[in-house]
Structures are given as C-alpha cells and as structure tokens.
C-alpha cells in the first residue's frame, strides 16, 4: 500500500471515529470521553517538547487544538461530558507537575473555557456545526477560535498563577498563556478538522506524497537543524513556503495541515534546542519564542488559506465541467427527440444515449391509447443484457397496481430516487422473487424513475439504473433525469398535438368539401329561378322591383362564397386544372372593371386605370378574371370612399398588374399571413369574408408560374403586385379540367 493510500486510510478512520462519537449512544459517549482524556494527556506531554528553557511553559499548548476541534465536531448535548473530561485531564496534568490542587482546579477550569468559548463563537449561526471548507472559515477559526476564544481561559489561568504561584506580572503570564493556547488551536485544530472531514478519494499520488514528505522533512531539518550559522541563515525559513504551498495545492487542506504541522514542530523543536536561524538570529529566549510563534502563525494561516482557495477553485471547475457535460447531454437528447416524429425510433435512441453516460440500463414506458403502458425504449450498456430487459417487459410490464417504481411514479406523478437499492427496497418494489432476481441480474445498485410530465399530465416514466457498486444516484442526477424526462414529455405532447391538428385539418377540409358541393347544387337552381322571376317581373326591360334586385345580389354573394369554398377544396386536393390559352391582360382587366362600375359608385370609389393597349400571354382566362375580381373587390371593401388605381403593363420581362387602394391598410405583423387559408387581418364583425380570397389568388398566380406580393401601410392603403410570365406556367399543357 502506498504512503498516500495509508494517509487516505487514516483519514477514513478519523472520519469513522468522529461519526461514531457524534451518534449519541451512551457507550459511544463513554468511549469518546476515554479517547479525549487519553489524547489530552498525550498531547500535553508532547507540548513539553516545545519548552524553551529556562522558560517552563510550552510554546504551543497542543491540547487546546484537540479540544477546540472536538467541541466543533460534536453535538452540543455532549459538551458537559467533554468539559468534565478536559477539566479532569488538565487537573491531573497540573498535579503531576507538582503544583498545588487549587491551582490545578483553576487551570482545569481555564482548559475547559477555551474550547467552550471558541466553539460557541464559531458555531453561533450554524446549526449543523462548524464547516471548514472555505477561505472565510480559516479567517473565522484564527480570529474567533484562536485569538478571541483563548482570552477567557487565559485570564483565569493568569489570575490563578498570580494567586497560587506568586507570579509577579499578571499580563506577562496572560500573554504567554494566550499565545501558546491560540497557537495550539491554529496548529492542531485545522489538522483534526480537515482529517475528520470527508474528502474526495484520490489515487495515483502515492509517489508524489512520499517525495513531498521526504523533501519537506529533509528541508525543514536542514533549515532549522543547523548548529553553525550560514551566510543567508535568516532567509532560509522562507524556502519552506513553496514546499508547504505544494502540499496545499496538490493535496488540499489535508496536505496543507499535515505539512504545516511538520514544519511547525521542526521549527519549534530545533529553535528550543538553540539550533537554526531563529535561535541564532535572536539573542533572548523571549525573542526566539516570539519569532517561532510569528513564523508558525503566518505559515499556517497562509498555507491553509491557499488550500481553501484551491478547494474552491477545484469545486468551481468541477461544477462548470458538470454543467457543461449536462448541457451537452441535454443538447444531444433534444436533437434525438427532434429527429423524427416516430416515438419508437426516438426513444430507442434516447435510451441508448442514457446508457452511454448516466446509466447502465434505461427503459422508457409511455401510456398509450386506453391507458395501456407501452415500453418504447429500452437499452443496456452491455448489449448482451438487453434480453433481460425484454424478459422484464414481457413478464413484469408496469401496470396500475404493481409496486414497480415506474408504476408508482405513474400513479403519483412524482420522481423516485433510490440511491442505494438494498435487498429490502428491492423486495418492496418487486412483484415477486423472480422480478427481484431479474432486476438484480441487470446489475442494479442504484435507480431512479422520473415522470414524463407535461401540462399537469403524466405521459410515461423514464427509469434508469446503475450497476457500479460505488456509484449512487444523487439529487443532482435526479434533476438531470427530470429535465430529460420533461423534454421527452414535451416531444410526445408535441407529436400528439401535431397528429391531432392534422386530423382536425383533414376533417375540416372534408366537411368544407362536402358542404360546398352540397350547397352548390341548390344554388345553381336558385340562380336559374331568379333569372326566370326577372323575366316574368320585367318582360320588356322595365326596372326590377327592389326586393328582387336585393335577392339577386344576395344570391350572387352566396354563390361567390360557395365558389371560394369549392376552389379551396380543388386547390388542396390538387384538382384545380387550368385551361391555358392566349389572353390579353389589359382587355381582361378593362372587362372586369366595367363589371364593377355599379360597385365603385356605390362605394364612392373613383377608379384610375393605366393599361397598355395590349399584352398577350399564355394564361387561363377565367382564373385570371378571378384574380382581378378578388383584388378589386378587396380594394373596394377595405378602401371604401377612396380612389383605386390599377396599372397593367410590362416590367422585368413579365406582365405586371398592380391594384392600389388608399384604405385601412394591413398591420405589419399580419402581412406574412394574409395569403394563407382563413387568415384575416380584420375582425369578421367589421368586414364580412372567409379569409380565402387571397389564398385562391396566390394559388392561381403561382399555378400560372407567376408571383404576388403586397405592400401596405396602416391607414394609408395597400398595393398588390402580380407578375405573370407571358409564356404561362412552366409545363402548360392547355388541358381541359375541372375549374
Ligand atoms: P377576406 O377579404 O374574405 O377577409 P382575403 O383572403 O381576400 O379574405 O383577405 C384576407 C385579409 O387580408 C382580409 O381579411 C383583410 O384583413 C386583408 N386584406 C386583403 N386585401 C386588403 C386590402 N386591400 N386592404 C386592407 N386589407 C386587406
């Protein structure tokens, strides 16, 4: 086993011990008391290694680092027990050193005050305990835990020294106590905190960790262990900064705390024995102590800060990478979902995409017609295991009552996350033992099922399973699966809406076709009857009775509407045939405008017609009449009381007809739609019509090989421009056909 994995292992042990201690059982609390007591005694003995003779107290009081970390890591309910243990341990240590019992009691109380004050300040606003992961946490630990937290205990201990030991200077003692307590916290507390914090597993760094350990130990020994002064002696301690920074950058907070503790111990140990730059540079013991303490505080503070910054940066990078992968995955899923309208193909591809990245198997169940659940996609990372998926589908398809997670999600519409699929959970969600066996055979250690929901409806379920024993689905995975399921649900919904819309359009066209044919027959005989009535009412050309004129006009209107409907049916069914012949466009336009004379005067519209004498092309006479009639009647309808201008001539090698009015105009947002079926830019209450005229006009013009465009300004008027190739439609055959 490499050094680094040993180091990792000890971290795991520390985390496990901590978990056991905070879990709250009396036996464990007792175990905690014993461990704390023994560790306290051990560390207090170790602290005496760092005494600078002739001074008698240690430069760092190591138990303070231990007790602070202990109080920060455990629940407050245990604090009374820990306080008692710290008190007893401290009393024992003091008595062992031959001090009076009253002093031992006072110092015992001071020993408990330090972690109590520091931990209370640090945990003030956090219910979950003190977290030691961000740069800000280092600053808080230094300031609140070490600097402020050490004050009350220090004052008590210094007062006791003055009273029972007769120390002449209260402040001198207090400052000595305070600095060694605070440094004890700064030194050991981060070490305990980082090594009891779960850390991401890393491997493959054993050689690097071992090299660093050797270099750092050798380096620190070389820097601090020299007995003869070297020329640059005072600059040498700075050489250890990059080495500890290396530990922080490469091995995070755990590496940083381990490296700093090693350097701190070396510095204090050698200096106290009169070796190295700090001993040689400073003459008095007090100055040596202060130099070591300053060095240790600066080194620890900076290296810890660096480690936390590195952690933050790694976290941010990992989050960005995860987000990018997530985006890529969702983009690929969207592409698959938009590729075809066929669910089976789409969902099979989607399931395959899932098993390439986020799952070992994936199935997609969709509720079909009549509430029957159909499996539309199923894939396994190992193609050989897909037979198992098929067997599961055949034998245990989720239905309304089964305990299957997919069935439960269908019932509740809520996602289900099973991070660790234990045997009990598996039994609870399996129909029978065989079902459970098949699910295990798929290799399921963790699973999740998310609803395909859209517009408050659950259309199906996406189920994912993962087989790697160490990999468990997390809430973040569930979130990704939910987003994927949402997109899949939208695609199902869109496809269904599209299918329904197509059906509705087909039905509408059928009804229109039947209705227009059925209406046309009575309309033809009605027209004949009106002609007969006219002859009877005015046999020798006398003026017609007004009622009969009205009837005739209404019948013409009705006939036009029916004709429009019939034309639309012909266009949509491809039955609009053209009769191509030589047509003189100016003559045709003049004919049509003459027929409108009465309408122009009724609508108070003046007409200006500019037409070339003759412009002949291969077109369909009656259909062209229809085009001109539609454009002029729209001009009259929407430009009532204003002039209308018509121009017929040649432009760009084509025959051009423009019809311009000065009426209400068309709003720009409606312009792109007015040539579509049933599209209108006005309300039907204000202007009668079906919204079919321009659709028919465009269809005729395009069938003749030409084009039509519109320019319009609201309030100023509209101009339609029709361009027709004189040679007629590209494949003009001049066939007779249904009109
Ligand atoms: P209809 O006239 O029966 O509504 P059309 O297909 O002929 O149907 O026209 C579609 C829509 O285009 C009309 O409802 C109207 O809003 C707009 N439109 C057409 N011609 C004109 C025009 N000359 N001036 C203003 N709006 C027009």
């Amino acid at each position: 086993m490499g050094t680094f994995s040993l180091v990792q292992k000890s971290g795991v042990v520390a985390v496990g011990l901590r978990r056991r201690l905070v879990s709250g059982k009396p036996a464990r609390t007792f175990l905690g008391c014993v461990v704390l007591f023994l560790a306290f005694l051990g560390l207090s003995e170790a602290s005496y290694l760092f005494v600078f003779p002739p001074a008698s107290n240690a430069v760092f009081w190591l138990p303070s680092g231990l007790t602070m970390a202990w109080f920060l890591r455990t629940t407050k309910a245990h604090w009374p027990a820990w306080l008692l243990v710290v008190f007893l341990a401290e009393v024992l240590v003091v008595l062992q050193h031959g001090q009076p019992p009253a002093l031992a009691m006072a110092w015992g109380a001071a020993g408990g005050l330090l972690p109590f004050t520091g931990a209370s300040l640090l945990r003030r606003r956090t219910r979950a305990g003190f977290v030691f992961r961000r740069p800000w946490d280092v600053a808080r630990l230094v300031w609140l835990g070490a600097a402020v937290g050490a004050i009350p205990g220090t004052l008590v201990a210094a007062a006791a020294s003055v009273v029972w030991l007769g120390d002449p200077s209260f402040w001198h003692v207090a400052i000595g106590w305070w600095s060694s307590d605070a440094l004890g916290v700064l030194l050991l507390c981060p070490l305990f905190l980082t090594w009891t914090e779960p850390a991401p597993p890393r491997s493959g760094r054993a050689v690097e960790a071992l090299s660093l350990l050797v270099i750092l130990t050798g380096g620190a020994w070389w820097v601090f262990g020299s007995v003869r002064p070297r020329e640059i002696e005072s600059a040498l301690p700075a050489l250890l900064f990059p080495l500890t920074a290396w530990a922080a950058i490469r091995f995070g907070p755990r590496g940083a705390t381990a490296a700093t503790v090693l350097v701190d111990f070396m510095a204090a140990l050698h200096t106290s024995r009169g070796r190295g730059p700090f001993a040689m540079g400073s003459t008095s013991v007090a100055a040596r102590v202060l130099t070591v303490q300053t060095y240790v505080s600066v080194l620890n503070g900076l290296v810890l800060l660096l480690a936390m910054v590195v952690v933050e940066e790694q976290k941010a990078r990992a989050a960005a990478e995860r987000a990018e992968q997530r985006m890529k995955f969702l983009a690929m899923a969207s592409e698959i979902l938009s590729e075809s309208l066929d669910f089976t193909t789409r969902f099979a591809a989607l399931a395959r995409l899932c098993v390439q990245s986020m799952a070992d198997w994936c199935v997609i169940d969709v509720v079909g017609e009549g509430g029957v659940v159909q499996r539309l996609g199923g894939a396994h990372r190992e193609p050989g295991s897909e037979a198992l998926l098929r067997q599961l589908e055949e034998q245990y398809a989720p239905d309304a009552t089964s305990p299957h997670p997919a069935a439960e999600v269908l019932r509740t519409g809520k996602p289900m996350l099973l991070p660790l699929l234990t045997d009990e959970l598996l039994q609870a969600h399996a129909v029978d033992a065989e079902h459970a066996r098949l699910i295990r055979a798929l290799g399921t250690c963790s699973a999740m099922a998310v609803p395909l929901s859209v517009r408050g409806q659950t259309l199906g379920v996406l189920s994912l399973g993962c087989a790697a024993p160490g990999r468990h689905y997390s809430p973040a995975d569930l979130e990704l699966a939910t987003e994927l399921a949402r997109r899949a649900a939208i695609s199902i919904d869109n496809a269904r809406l599209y299918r329904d819309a197509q059906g509705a359009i087909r039905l509408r066209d059928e009804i229109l076709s039947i209705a227009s044919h059925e209406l046309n027959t009575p309309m033809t005989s009605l027209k004949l009857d009106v002609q007969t009535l006219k002859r009877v009412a005015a046999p020798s050309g006398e003026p017609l009775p007004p009622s009969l004129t009205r009837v005739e006009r209404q019948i013409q209107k009705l006939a036009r509407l029916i004709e429009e409907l019939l034309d639309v049916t012909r266009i949509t069914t491809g039955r609009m045939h053209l009769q191509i012949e030589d047509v003189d466009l100016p003559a045709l336009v003049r004919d049509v405008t003459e027929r409108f004379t009465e309408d122009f005067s009724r609508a108070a519209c003046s007409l200006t017609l500019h037409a070339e004498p003759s412009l002949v092309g291969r077109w369909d006479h009656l259909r062209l009449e229809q085009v001109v009639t539609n454009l002029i009647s729209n001009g009259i309808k929407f430009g009532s009381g204003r002039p209308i201008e018509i121009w017929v001539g040649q432009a760009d090698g084509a025959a051009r007809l423009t019809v311009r009015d000065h009426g209400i105009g068309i709003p720009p947002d409606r312009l792109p739609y007015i040539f579509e079926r049933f599209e209108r830019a006005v309300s039907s209450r204000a202007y009668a019509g079906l919204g079919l005229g321009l659709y028919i006009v465009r269809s005729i013009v395009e069938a003749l090989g030409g084009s039509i465009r519109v320019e319009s300004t609201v309030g100023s008027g509209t101009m339609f421009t029709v361009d027709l190739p004189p040679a007629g439609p590209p494949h003009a055959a001049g066939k007779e056909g249904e009109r």
Side-chain angles (χ1 to χ4, degrees):
M1 193 190 294
T3 312
F4 193 67
S5 49
L6 252 178
V7 166
Q8 283 284 341
K9 261 252 150 39
S10 40
V12 172
V13 171
V15 173
L17 186 63
R18 179 197 144 207
R19 263 193 214 127
R20 237 160 273 148
L21 293 178
V22 297
S23 63
K25 300 259 169 62
R28 287 185 181 154
T29 311
F30 178 71
L31 173 71
C33 289
V34 174
V35 172
L36 179 60
F37 188 76
L38 294 178
F40 191 100
L41 293 186
L43 285 174
S44 63
E45 274 316 301
S47 301
Y48 286 105
L49 287 174
F50 308 110
V51 172
F52 281 56
S56 57
N57 51 337
V59 67
F60 337 107
W61 184 239
L62 298 177
S64 55
L66 166 79
T67 52
M68 182 69 74
W70 199 277
F71 274 61
L72 286 173
R73 278 285 183 243
T74 51
T75 55
K76 278 192 173 171
H78 288 94
W79 283 13
W82 311 147
L83 278 173
L84 185 65
V85 172
V86 172
F87 174 77
L88 292 175
E90 181 93 45
V91 167
L92 189 69
V93 170
V94 180
L95 289 177
Q96 245 182 355
H97 283 84
Q99 305 291 4
L103 181 76
M105 306 270 269
W107 282 7
L113 258 182
L114 166 93
F116 180 79
T117 319
S120 303
L121 288 172
L122 286 170
R123 291 174 54 149
R124 212 155 33 119
R125 259 174 273 139
T126 50
R127 281 176 63 235
F130 177 66
V131 203
F132 194 60
R133 282 184 211 133
R134 295 153 303 175
W136 180 234
D137 299 330
V138 177
R140 287 178 66 218
L141 181 75
V142 172
W143 173 239
L144 294 177
V148 180
I151 293 175
T154 295
L155 296 179
V156 171
S161 298
V162 172
V163 174
W164 283 290
L165 293 181
D167 266 327
S169 160
F170 171 83
W171 288 114
H172 182 78
V173 179
I175 288 171
W177 262 80
W178 176 82
S179 58
S180 78
D181 265 355
L183 275 179
V185 172
L186 188 58
L187 199 84
L188 281 199
C189 186
L191 184 83
F192 289 126
L193 290 177
T194 52
W195 284 83
T196 50
E197 179 105 331
R202 289 193 204 160
S203 55
R205 305 252 190 106
V207 176
E208 186 182 347
L210 195 63
S211 321
L212 180 57
L213 185 70
V214 171
I215 295 173
L216 200 59
T217 316
W221 193 277
W222 181 75
V223 169
F224 293 112
S226 66
V227 281
R228 262 193 309 269
R230 289 161 290 194
E231 261 188 55
I232 51 159
E233 194 69 50
S234 55
L236 292 179
L239 290 182
L240 298 171
F241 273 90
L243 289 180
T244 41
W246 171 12
I249 292 167
R250 298 286 295 162
F251 300 99
R254 286 183 176 189
T257 50
T260 48
V261 165
L262 186 108
V263 174
D264 296 345
F265 281 2
M266 290 273 198
L269 207 66
H270 286 298
T271 312
S272 68
R273 308 288 183 276
R275 295 191 287 261
F278 296 154
M280 291 170 201
S282 341
T283 43
S284 73
V285 171
R288 288 178 193 182
V289 169
L290 208 60
T291 313
V292 169
Q293 288 181 333
T294 311
Y295 179 74
V296 164
S297 344
V298 173
L299 178 81
N300 288 21
L302 284 183
V303 173
L304 268 175
L305 264 180
L306 178 64
M308 296 301 180
V309 169
V310 169
V311 168
E312 292 266 280
E313 192 269 340
Q314 280 170 347
K315 265 196 282 184
R317 192 145 28 106
E321 273 167 19
R322 273 199 308 277
E324 194 187 325
Q325 277 171 0
R326 201 183 124 104
M327 291 302 295
K328 267 193 199 152
F329 174 77
L330 288 174
M332 277 158 76
S334 297
E335 203 174 307
I336 287 174
L337 288 170
S338 60
E339 255 164 20
S340 84
L341 277 174
D342 173 22
F343 294 144
T344 323
T345 332
R346 270 194 265 177
F347 286 170
L350 192 66
R352 268 196 303 281
L353 177 73
C354 289
V355 299
Q356 278 160 20
S357 53
M358 65 180 302
D360 285 288
W361 58 260
C362 165
V363 290
I364 303 169
D365 297 302
V366 174
V367 185
E369 304 288 325
V372 182
V373 180
Q374 268 180 293
R375 182 146 301 171
L376 289 189
H380 199 288
R381 195 182 286 261
E382 308 290 337
S385 299
E386 286 191 355
L388 277 174
L389 285 179
R390 277 192 296 278
Q391 195 180 343
L392 269 169
E393 180 190 351
E394 280 156 22
Q395 292 181 10
Y396 300 100
D399 61 41
T401 53
S402 76
H404 207 292
E408 204 171 316
V409 170
L410 274 180
R411 282 194 296 273
T412 61
K414 301 231 159 51
M416 186 186 281
L417 175 65
L418 304 170
L420 182 63
L421 194 65
T422 57
D423 283 335
E424 296 86 74
L425 263 179
L426 186 57
Q427 299 301 338
H429 287 293
V431 175
D432 54 26
E434 173 62 4
H435 190 202
R437 190 192 67 74
L438 285 173
I439 296 175
R440 266 287 182 249
L442 277 178
T444 319
C445 293
S446 180
M448 56 186 171
V450 286
L452 306 182
S453 304
V454 71
R455 295 189 286 130
Q457 263 188 308
T458 304
L459 308 181
V461 186
L462 166 76
S463 310
L464 299 158
C466 114
R471 163 110 163 79
H472 303 301
Y473 283 133
S474 65
D477 294 314
L478 187 72
E479 205 182 298
L480 178 61
T482 308
E483 177 55 30
L484 178 67
R486 195 183 64 84
R487 292 179 189 212
I490 291 174
S491 88
I492 299 179
D493 195 43
N494 283 348
R496 286 185 180 167
L497 289 175
Y498 178 75
R499 191 192 56 197
D500 293 350
Q502 292 292 88
I505 290 171
R506 249 195 322 276
L507 190 68
R508 183 197 67 186
D509 288 348
E510 261 167 45
I511 292 173
L512 279 184
S513 162
I514 296 167
S516 48
H517 274 105
E518 290 306 311
L519 288 171
N520 200 31
T521 320
M523 182 51 65
T524 314
S525 62
L526 208 59
K527 272 193 214 157
L528 289 173
D529 289 346
V530 169
Q531 294 308 322
T532 316
L533 275 178
K534 270 169 76 180
R535 274 199 299 276
V536 172
S540 28
E542 305 91 330
L544 285 173
S547 56
L548 197 56
T549 318
R550 268 200 311 277
V551 168
E552 191 185 21
R553 212 170 314 120
Q554 295 305 330
I555 283 177
Q556 273 167 2
K557 242 191 200 166
L558 262 178
R560 242 197 333 271
L561 286 177
I562 293 169
E563 196 51 39
E564 274 189 349
L565 286 176
L566 274 173
D567 276 343
V568 170
T569 310
R570 285 181 197 125
I571 291 166
T572 48
T573 53
R575 282 187 287 124
M576 188 187 71
H577 299 295
L578 300 171
Q579 195 167 16
I580 302 299
E581 57 189 321
D582 280 345
V583 179
D584 184 5
L585 187 61
L588 180 145
V589 174
R590 269 191 292 272
D591 269 3
V592 176
T593 50
E594 263 161 38
R595 272 182 246 148
F596 271 96
T597 314
E598 212 178 301
D599 301 78
F600 282 130
S601 64
R602 220 183 1 255
C605 290
S606 63
L607 171 74
T608 318
L609 173 62
H610 296 280
E612 282 186 15
S614 169
L615 191 52
V616 179
R618 301 283 299 159
W619 302 306
D620 180 316
H621 193 277
L622 284 180
R623 289 293 176 198
L624 261 190
E625 268 190 11
Q626 212 176 334
V627 168
V628 180
T629 306
N630 259 314
L631 294 179
I632 293 178
S633 56
N634 274 354
I636 294 174
K637 182 156 65 167
F638 299 109
S640 171
R642 315 260 175 90
I644 292 178
E645 291 129 30
I646 300 178
W647 186 88
V648 189
Q650 281 193 65
D652 306 327
R656 176 166 293 175
L657 160 74
T658 60
V659 180
R660 179 191 190 126
D661 64 58
H662 297 272
I664 60 169
I666 304 167
D669 60 319
R670 300 302 305 152
L671 271 182
Y673 304 104
I674 56 164
F675 292 106
E676 300 300 326
R677 266 188 299 176
F678 302 107
E679 290 290 348
R680 313 196 70 221
V682 287
S683 88
S684 45
R685 254 175 282 133
Y687 294 93
L690 293 176
L692 292 174
L694 288 181
Y695 170 71
I696 296 167
V697 165
R698 192 194 62 182
S699 303
I700 294 172
V701 170
E702 285 177 357
L704 290 172
S707 64
I708 179 165
R709 60 178 193 276
V710 60
E711 289 150 63
S712 184
T713 311
V714 175
S716 300
T718 306
M719 182 167 89
F720 287 94
T721 306
V722 176
D723 281 336
L724 292 168
H731 305 293
K735 299 182 282 181
E736 284 286 329
E738 186 188 357
R739 284 187 177 275

